[in-house]
Amino acid sequence: MRASTLFLFIALAGAVLPLKVFFSWLVAYGVHPVLFWQHLTATPLSVFAWLDVFISAVALLVYLYVAKTRFSRAQITSVILATCLIGVSCGLPLLLSYQCRQYENKIQQVT
């Protein structure tokens, strides 16, 4: 299996698994922003986890901005949307899939 394909599967898992948990929370509690915020910040461990995710997403988006000439507009847009709407668990492997695909294509051209 090519690395780019493997990263696409990881991106899919990074979308499905967190969204499954989020939607089950929505079914249980409905749209309740105050309760959602209370649950997000209920313990120091949950604050730690969300800060880690937030900083990782910011780092990914900054990297994407710095390396924007290496990717197409559609790739950049899809990584931004995946990261902001789903999470870094989907956006990062998607970006890595794009990078691996470019490398794999370059290797094929050489051989």
Side-chain angles (χ1 to χ4, degrees):
M1 177 182 294
R2 293 170 45 176
S4 60
T5 305
L6 178 61
F7 279 119
L8 277 179
F9 282 120
I10 295 170
L12 181 64
V16 170
L17 297 175
L19 286 176
K20 181 180 177 195
V21 174
F22 176 67
F23 287 133
S24 69
W25 187 92
L26 274 178
V27 168
Y29 298 102
V31 179
H32 197 296
V34 173
L35 185 61
F36 183 71
W37 183 255
Q38 288 173 347
H39 284 191
L40 285 180
T41 59
T43 68
L45 185 59
S46 62
V47 173
F48 157 77
W50 282 108
L51 285 174
D52 183 60
V53 169
F54 177 75
I55 292 168
S56 298
V58 169
L60 174 61
L61 295 174
V62 168
Y63 173 76
L64 193 60
Y65 177 77
V66 170
K68 65 183 172 227
T69 58
R70 299 181 198 168
F71 304 101
S72 70
R73 182 176 287 249
Q75 290 172 327
I76 291 170
T77 302
S78 65
V79 171
I80 290 171
L81 288 174
T83 302
C84 293
L85 297 177
I86 299 169
V88 75
S89 63
C90 180
L92 177 60
L94 184 60
L95 178 66
L96 293 174
S97 173
Y98 294 149
Q99 282 188 322
C100 285
R101 187 178 311 149
Q102 289 174 354
Y103 180 74
E104 291 161 356
N105 290 341
K106 190 180 290 187
I107 294 296
Q108 274 186 339
Q109 291 173 355
V110 171
T111 59

